[in-house]
């Protein structure tokens, strides 16, 4: 692992879903992120792109609940989530792939109107809309510019996948 504790990366990402910062992520919090992305990037609410975003985050919320949460309460508590990830590296890898695919799909759908190649700053705007602090946008942008200022939408998965394996992009979701 090149930079930072993976558990910290996962916990930081989960906190971006926590709408009221109480240490608990509810299924509705995850659904709200999808709707926020659709509104922020003016994705036609009836389009296949909007449906892809909604479906991706719905599937992620269901996976989080099934693997780490309380199904009756429809929530995932951050302390239990962190402990479960630390205890099972295979689970961590699987979740990392799922989050990476979900966030990369959101980037592709939100930025599709721009074209096949986008600036790192555009991807950083999507990450801020995911819930990262707006003041962290320069940090996120610098992390994304590791390989250059332009990113092919078809390759948008790489920064997210590398982030959740510890192979780079430590500031992808902002400062801790």
């Amino acid at each position: 692992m090149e930079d930072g504790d993976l558990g910290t990366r996962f916990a930081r990402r989960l906190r971006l879903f926590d709408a009221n910062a109480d240490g608990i992520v509810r299924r509705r919090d995850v659904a709200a992120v999808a709707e926020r992305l659709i509104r922020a990037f003016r994705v036609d609410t009836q389009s296949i792109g909007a449906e892809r975003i909604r479906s991706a985050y719905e599937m992620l919320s269901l996976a989080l609940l099934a693997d780490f949460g309380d199904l009756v309460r429809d929530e995932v508590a951050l302390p239990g989530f962190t402990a479960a990830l630390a205890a099972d590296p295979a689970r961590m890898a699987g979740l990392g792939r799922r989050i990476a695919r979900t966030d990369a799909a959101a980037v592709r759908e939100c930025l599709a109107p721009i074209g096949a190649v986008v600036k790192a700053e555009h991807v950083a705007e999507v990450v801020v809309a995911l819930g990262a602090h707006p003041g962290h946008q320069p940090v996120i942008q610098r992390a994304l510019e590791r390989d250059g200022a332009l990113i092919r939408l078809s390759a948008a998965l790489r920064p997210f996948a590398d982030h959740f394996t510890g192979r780079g992009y430590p500031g992808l979701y902002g400062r801790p």
Side-chain angles (χ1 to χ4, degrees), residues 37-91:
L37 287 166
I38 291 165
R39 272 192 319 275
F41 291 91
R42 294 183 178 94
V43 177
D44 179 356
T45 58
Q46 302 301 312
S47 71
I48 190 70
E51 188 55 37
R52 285 182 185 137
I53 293 169
R54 287 184 189 109
S55 295
Y57 284 102
E58 175 68 15
M59 295 306 295
L60 178 58
S61 72
L62 292 172
L64 285 168
L65 281 168
D67 288 348
F68 306 100
D70 181 333
L71 293 171
V72 174
R73 298 177 126 195
D74 222 17
E75 61 188 33
V76 177
L78 190 58
F81 169 79
T82 321
L85 277 182
D88 190 348
R91 228 170 157 188

Side-chain angles (χ1 to χ4, degrees), residues 67-150:
D67 288 348
F68 306 100
D70 181 333
L71 293 171
V72 174
R73 298 177 126 195
D74 222 17
E75 61 188 33
V76 177
L78 190 58
F81 169 79
T82 321
L85 277 182
D88 190 348
R91 228 170 157 188
M92 185 182 293
L95 179 61
R97 286 189 299 272
R98 183 177 292 278
I99 295 170
R101 284 191 311 264
T102 301
D103 289 348
V107 166
R108 284 191 306 272
E109 296 301 331
C110 290
L111 300 180
I114 294 173
V117 179
V118 297
K119 293 180 180 179
E121 69 185 82
H122 296 129
V123 178
E125 290 171 5
V126 175
V127 175
V128 168
L130 285 172
H133 190 282
H136 295 185
Q137 187 165 341
V139 171
I140 298 164
Q141 185 174 334
R142 279 193 301 278
L144 288 161
E145 288 174 344
R146 169 182 125 165
D147 300 321
L150 298 177

